């Protein structure tokens, strides 16, 4: 049986915080497809990564970079769960098997169920881009959930998709230089969404 992703399911699988029903979904490049995880060492030796076009080279991102991106999101998650106490989560936290629901569909449903969603893109030695999942979420939800979506990227990150997203979907885009600044902007974003829900400017999801 395929798991149905709902607000209740997500909240039940997360720890308790002050605002349990305010779900804040954090997306980042750590979930991007990486050929290092699916090719054997022998297969990788046969490929001259430096000779590949840029988009293909990015499929061989170093595992340390992917791990660093996930660690960043974990630290941000902890900060947001402490202050202001919103139920910040990563896709991994909902524990939905990708054999039951593919990763892109999961991301769309997590964003659909969340009060707020942030795409966080750090610069870790190269340009990660926003990836298939972020584009799929925007394509599916920008029209109905645009006020609940934020794209935050480190100053050094540049992307044609970031620029086009601002125009195509009127996406809110923020830049940051430090992790502290990023956390501060995400807190303000969450607080703004919460206030708009309380005033009735945004529909309450429960």
């Amino acid at each position: 049986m395929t798991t149905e992703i709902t607000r209740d399911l997500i909240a039940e699988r997360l720890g308790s915080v002050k605002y349990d029903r305010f779900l804040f979904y954090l997306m980042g490049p750590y979930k991007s497809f990486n050929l290092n995880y699916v090719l054997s060492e022998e297969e990788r030796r046969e490929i001259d990564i430096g000779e590949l076009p840029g988009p293909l080279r990015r499929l061989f991102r170093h595992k340390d970079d992917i791990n660093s991106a996930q660690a960043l999101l974990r630290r941000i998650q902890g900060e947001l769960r402490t202050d202001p106490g919103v139920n910040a989560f990563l896709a991994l936290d909902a524990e939905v098997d990708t054999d039951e629901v593919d990763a892109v569909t999961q991301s769309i449903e997590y964003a659909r169920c969340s009060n707020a969603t942030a795409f966080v893109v750090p610069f870790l030695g190269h340009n990660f881009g926003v990836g298939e999942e972020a584009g799929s979420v925007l394509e599916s939800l920008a029209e109905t959930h645009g006020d609940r979506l934020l794209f935050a990227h480190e100053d050094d990150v540049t992307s044609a998709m970031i620029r086009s997203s601002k125009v195509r979907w009127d996406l809110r885009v923020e830049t940051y230089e430090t992790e502290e600044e990023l956390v501060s902007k995400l807190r303000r974003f969450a607080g703004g969404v919460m206030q708009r829900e309380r005033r009735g400017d945004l529909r309450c999801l429960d």
Side-chain angles (χ1 to χ4, degrees):
M1 175 189 290
T2 301
T3 301
E4 181 184 2
I5 296 174
T6 65
R7 284 177 55 80
D8 287 339
L9 178 140
I10 297 168
E12 286 169 4
R13 295 185 176 181
L14 305 177
S16 178
V17 292
K18 183 176 181 180
Y19 300 106
D20 284 339
R21 300 300 294 182
F22 190 97
L23 303 180
F24 194 158
Y25 178 36
L26 299 174
M27 292 183 66
Y30 80 93
K31 285 179 61 58
S32 297
F33 185 63
N34 183 338
L35 286 180
N36 282 314
Y37 290 109
V38 297
L39 295 180
S40 69
E41 185 176 341
E42 181 179 350
E43 289 171 325
R44 292 198 301 271
R45 279 199 301 267
E46 295 176 357
I47 298 173
D48 186 349
I49 297 173
E51 294 298 318
L52 294 174
L56 291 180
R57 279 200 307 275
R58 286 195 287 273
L59 296 179
F60 288 86
R61 295 167 187 155
H62 196 277
K63 289 182 181 180
D64 288 345
D65 282 347
I66 300 294
N67 292 339
S68 294
Q70 182 175 349
L72 169 67
L73 288 185
R74 284 297 187 199
R75 291 194 299 273
I76 294 168
Q77 176 190 18
E79 294 281 357
L80 295 172
R81 290 178 69 83
T82 302
D83 177 14
V86 295
N87 218 346
F89 71 100
L90 277 58
L92 297 173
D93 301 328
E95 299 180 343
V96 175
D97 195 325
T98 53
D99 288 337
E100 296 184 14
V101 182
D102 68 87
V104 172
T105 301
Q106 282 191 34
S107 286
I108 293 171
E109 292 308 309
Y110 294 147
R112 190 190 311 277
C113 291
S114 294
N115 301 75
T117 296
F119 310 102
V120 178
V121 182
F123 183 85
L124 297 171
H126 56 269
N127 183 354
F128 272 97
V130 294
E132 178 186 2
E133 290 173 55
S136 296
V137 169
L138 290 169
E139 191 71 47
S140 300
L141 300 179
E143 186 173 333
T144 57
H145 289 62
D147 290 335
R148 300 180 185 275
L149 304 175
L150 170 70
F151 195 104
H153 67 92
E154 200 165 356
D155 277 344
D156 289 336
V157 173
T158 58
S159 168
M161 186 171 180
I162 296 174
R163 293 188 293 272
S164 64
S165 295
K166 292 179 68 173
V167 176
R168 180 175 179 182
W169 291 296
D170 194 25
L171 178 66
R172 177 175 174 178
V173 176
E174 297 277 3
T175 61
Y176 67 93
E177 292 184 1
T178 66
E179 190 171 320
E180 181 179 16
E181 182 183 7
L182 171 60
V183 170
S184 177
K185 290 187 174 184
L186 293 178
R187 281 176 174 149
R188 285 200 299 271
F189 174 59
V193 171
M194 192 176 290
Q195 286 299 320
R196 292 186 66 188
E197 287 183 346
R198 288 173 175 169
R199 292 196 307 262
D201 297 338
L202 281 176
R203 179 178 65 87
C204 288
L205 298 184
D206 283 333

